[in-house]
Amino acid sequence: MNKFVKVAWFSTKAAIGGGVVYITVDQGIWGNSRSTSAAYDRLYDIMPGTKSVSEKYLHFPKKEDVNINFRSYWNTGVFYTFDFVANFPSKVGSLKDYIVDFASSPPGDVSKNEEVQKTDDNITEKKEENSTIKIQTDKSD
């Protein structure tokens, strides 16, 4: 039954896509420029007002109005893309650590996190004290 539904779904999508292609070819959209302009004229006859809308919104700016350095935008995009690819492993690792920390501690348990941090600081201080004592005893021998 599941395979039948999948086949029916795929067949429906393929039929819609094929139908769209068939209708556009039949109407002359993919033909030469004369048949395409005739198809546009038929569209404007069917849907009045579309020509005024397209003329209002589909205008290109003049060359003098466009003062953009496209090369710098392209290069910036390339730099950001390769920076993202290069730093992706570290970003995923830090995201994993953040998610694990977020999921492991409940939201109201802030005091436990502070206690753990204080305990870690105390352990570090004791290790530093032990290392200074060892150094002093080594010098006295």
Side-chain angles (χ1 to χ4, degrees):
M1 181 71 177
N2 193 17
K3 288 185 179 182
F4 176 73
V5 172
K6 287 182 179 181
V7 168
W9 180 250
F10 177 75
S11 300
T12 304
K13 291 193 304 184
I16 290 171
V20 167
V21 170
Y22 174 76
I23 290 172
T24 55
V25 168
D26 184 50
Q27 293 297 316
I29 298 218
W30 304 108
N32 58 16
S33 62
R34 287 191 179 128
S35 64
T36 304
S37 69
Y40 259 165
D41 290 337
R42 286 192 306 273
L43 176 69
Y44 292 141
D45 291 340
I46 294 171
M47 300 172 62
T50 55
K51 196 167 195 171
S52 62
V53 170
S54 65
E55 289 173 355
K56 181 178 179 182
Y57 292 110
L58 296 178
H59 66 281
F60 293 108
K62 297 177 183 174
K63 187 176 180 181
E64 296 82 29
D65 295 339
V66 179
N67 190 14
I68 298 174
N69 188 356
F70 289 108
R71 183 183 297 169
S72 67
Y73 285 119
W74 174 264
N75 288 341
T76 303
V78 170
F79 289 143
Y80 281 124
T81 301
F82 280 99
D83 182 55
F84 173 77
V85 170
N87 293 326
F88 185 73
S90 64
K91 298 284 186 186
V92 170
S94 65
L95 179 64
K96 178 199 67 95
D97 294 339
Y98 175 76
I99 290 173
V100 167
D101 289 343
F102 181 76
S104 64
S105 66
D109 236 1
V110 176
S111 61
K112 268 189 176 180
N113 290 339
E114 290 175 358
E115 290 175 12
V116 169
Q117 186 177 7
K118 288 179 184 176
T119 307
D120 289 343
D121 292 341
N122 290 339
I123 292 171
T124 306
E125 288 175 8
K126 287 180 181 178
K127 285 182 181 178
E128 289 175 0
E129 289 175 6
N130 289 339
S131 64
T132 55
I133 292 171
K134 287 180 183 178
I135 292 172
Q136 290 174 356
T137 55
D138 291 339
K139 288 183 181 178
S140 61
D141 290 337

